[in-house]
Amino acid sequence: MLMIIPMASTLRPSLTTFSLSSSSTRLGLSLSSSIPPRRFSFLHLDTDIPQLQCFGLKASTLLRGEGNGMPVVTAGNIAQASTSPAQEDALEWVKKDNRRMLHVVYRVGDLDRTIKFYTECLGMKLLRKRDIPEERYSNAFLGYGPEDSHFVIELTYNYGIDKYDIGTGFGHFGIAVEDVAKTVELIKAKGGKVTREPGPVKGGSTVIAFIEDPDGYKFELLERGSTPEPLCQVMLRVGDLDRSIAFYDKAFGMELLRKRDNPEYKYTIAMMGYGPEDKNAVMELTYNYGVTEYDKGNGYAQIAIGTDDVYKTAEVVKLCGGKVTREPGPLPGINTKITACLDPDGWKTVFVDNVDFLKELE
């Protein structure tokens, strides 16, 4: 639905001080600093902020003097900051907005190879595929049900690029299966890589396993009964969990479904989403004790979320300390209205107009 095209970016070196396995910590990474800088992005990003009038607030009143697009109110102190009636209306509107996680976007080095792995080993369906030769990229959408009702994966292949740096910030995707052991055996038979054998999660009873796809993206297999949303988690690491919870609650309208501290293994997780975990895809935010910053690499791109109003969404994001990197409005050529933003850790999210999204699928 949304494309990834080149932009200039500089990759920071990987955090070589963290080279722990997934069986002993939520970091679970093999880190590398050998990937050279490349030029990729989701969109050409606009940084000029118009004088929007959503909720009766001018965007100019939200910006600092430097003109860098960052609001005066930060995600860390929004709970303590005084709010005007207009701001309260804005935050209340977010909770009533019709939102759903639509898809997660990331880059792969061989599209057909990844499609084969996901369909044969993970039981996904190829929903659609498109090639955009003039922009030198191809897309494939995969999942466990139609895009108008399920959370799906959008894979992007950029011509001539066969490897990406996943970085230290991205964690894993979660897939709910009825029998983890059987799924692992199938993956092994197909030549897949198992990095954590089936067994109870540390400190709990849920049977899990970890695997890697051909590009090195990790998937956590969780043993559950039948669920309408098997593609159930996206795990990202954050530097301040309470700050992130406040931001996703107020700016994105997500609910804190549960929070669990694991002092023995020195990490804390928070599940955020738009409905219960057994029926909806959720975000798993992980804080590793003492780690405040991560290298995001150039593989993982963003999550897309549906909204009834991208203009109001952008204004609330600014109120809550997020940075709008693509001002709300229609995409050239297809007229789908979107807005793009960054959370306090720099993770990107794209909000898509619900009506326009359904028209695109038609």
Side-chain angles (χ1 to χ4, degrees):
M1 192 280 294
L2 299 171
M3 64 183 181
I4 297 178
I5 56 179
M7 77 164 190
S9 64
T10 301
L11 301 180
R12 291 175 288 139
S14 298
L15 301 178
T16 54
T17 54
F18 301 101
S19 56
L20 307 174
S21 68
S22 61
S23 61
S24 61
T25 176
R26 299 299 284 186
L27 280 168
L29 297 161
S30 176
L31 308 180
S32 170
S33 58
S34 62
I35 307 299
R38 297 192 180 101
R39 296 166 61 85
F40 312 105
S41 180
F42 159 65
L43 290 166
H44 289 305
L45 302 179
D46 300 319
T47 55
D48 294 332
I49 297 180
Q51 303 299 309
L52 298 178
Q53 299 294 332
C54 297
F55 310 111
L57 296 172
K58 289 186 177 181
S60 59
T61 65
L62 303 175
L63 304 182
R64 291 180 178 160
E66 298 88 346
N68 62 1
M70 291 301 292
V72 174
V73 180
T74 65
N77 66 14
I78 187 171
Q80 289 77 32
S82 60
T83 57
S84 68
Q87 290 172 321
E88 291 176 355
D89 288 346
L91 299 176
E92 184 178 347
W93 172 81
V94 170
K95 295 295 185 180
K96 298 177 181 178
D97 189 23
N98 183 28
R99 297 192 171 185
R100 179 176 72 86
M101 290 171 60
L102 303 177
H103 51 257
V104 61
V105 186
Y106 53 102
R107 305 167 181 97
V108 297
D110 184 326
L111 197 57
D112 291 334
R113 177 186 66 184
T114 305
I115 291 171
K116 180 179 174 68
F117 182 84
Y118 288 7
T119 54
E120 293 186 359
C121 296
L122 300 179
M124 295 185 190
K125 297 177 182 178
L126 176 61
L127 303 172
R128 58 187 170 110
K129 185 179 178 182
R130 65 185 180 185
D131 184 41
I132 316 293
E134 63 271 22
E135 300 290 348
R136 297 181 57 77
Y137 78 94
S138 301
N139 282 133
F141 294 78
L142 298 100
Y144 296 97
E147 293 177 63
D148 61 358
S149 58
H150 287 72
F151 185 57
V152 306
I153 286 172
E154 178 182 345
L155 302 175
T156 295
Y157 167 71
N158 291 290
Y159 289 11
I161 309 300
D162 62 4
K163 187 175 179 61
Y164 293 93
D165 177 13
I166 296 176
T168 62
F170 169 78
H172 61 258
F173 304 110
I175 296 181
V177 299
E178 294 191 13
D179 192 320
V180 167
K182 279 188 177 180
T183 304
V184 166
E185 289 305 311
L186 173 62
I187 291 168
K188 287 181 178 179
K190 296 288 185 178
K193 183 178 180 180
V194 177
T195 59
R196 200 268 200 192
E197 293 290 338
V201 65
K202 291 178 179 178
S205 59
T206 302
V207 176
I208 66 167
F210 275 91
I211 66 164
E212 286 185 7
D213 77 358
D215 289 272
Y217 292 102
K218 288 183 171 59
F219 284 78
E220 181 181 18
L221 306 178
L222 301 100
E223 192 158 281
R224 290 182 182 171
S226 180
T227 173
E229 194 67 277
L231 182 60
C232 58
Q233 291 178 5
V234 177
M235 193 276 261
L236 302 174
R237 300 180 176 91
V238 298
D240 184 327
L241 190 59
D242 290 335
R243 177 186 66 180
S244 294
I245 291 171
F247 178 81
Y248 281 93
D249 170 43
K250 295 186 181 298
F252 286 12
M254 289 186 177
E255 179 186 354
L256 175 60
L257 302 172
R258 62 186 173 98
K259 183 179 178 182
R260 186 179 79 239
D261 185 36
N262 295 273
E264 182 180 356
Y265 302 105
K266 297 185 177 181
Y267 74 89
T268 308
I269 64 168
M271 297 294 189
M272 307 287 296
Y274 296 110
E277 290 180 63
D278 59 343
K279 294 182 174 62
N280 300 271
V282 301
M283 294 189 66
E284 179 181 347
L285 305 176
T286 296
Y287 168 70
N288 291 288
Y289 289 11
V291 185
T292 59
E293 189 174 355
Y294 296 93
D295 175 8
K296 294 177 180 60
N298 61 4
Y300 176 87
Q302 70 267 328
I303 286 176
I305 296 175
T307 176
D308 287 336
D309 193 323
V310 297
Y311 299 94
K312 289 183 179 180
T313 293
E315 201 66 15
V316 175
V317 167
K318 294 172 190 176
L319 281 172
C320 297
K323 181 177 181 180
V324 173
T325 56
R326 205 277 187 188
E327 287 296 330
L331 285 169
I334 60 175
N335 294 320
T336 296
K337 293 183 289 295
I338 73 163
T339 188
C341 65
L342 302 180
D343 76 357
D345 289 274
W347 294 113
K348 182 189 287 185
T349 299
V350 176
F351 286 89
V352 184
D353 181 270
N354 286 324
V355 174
D356 292 347
F357 177 69
L358 293 178
K359 288 180 180 177
E360 261 197 66
L361 295 181
E362 293 173 357

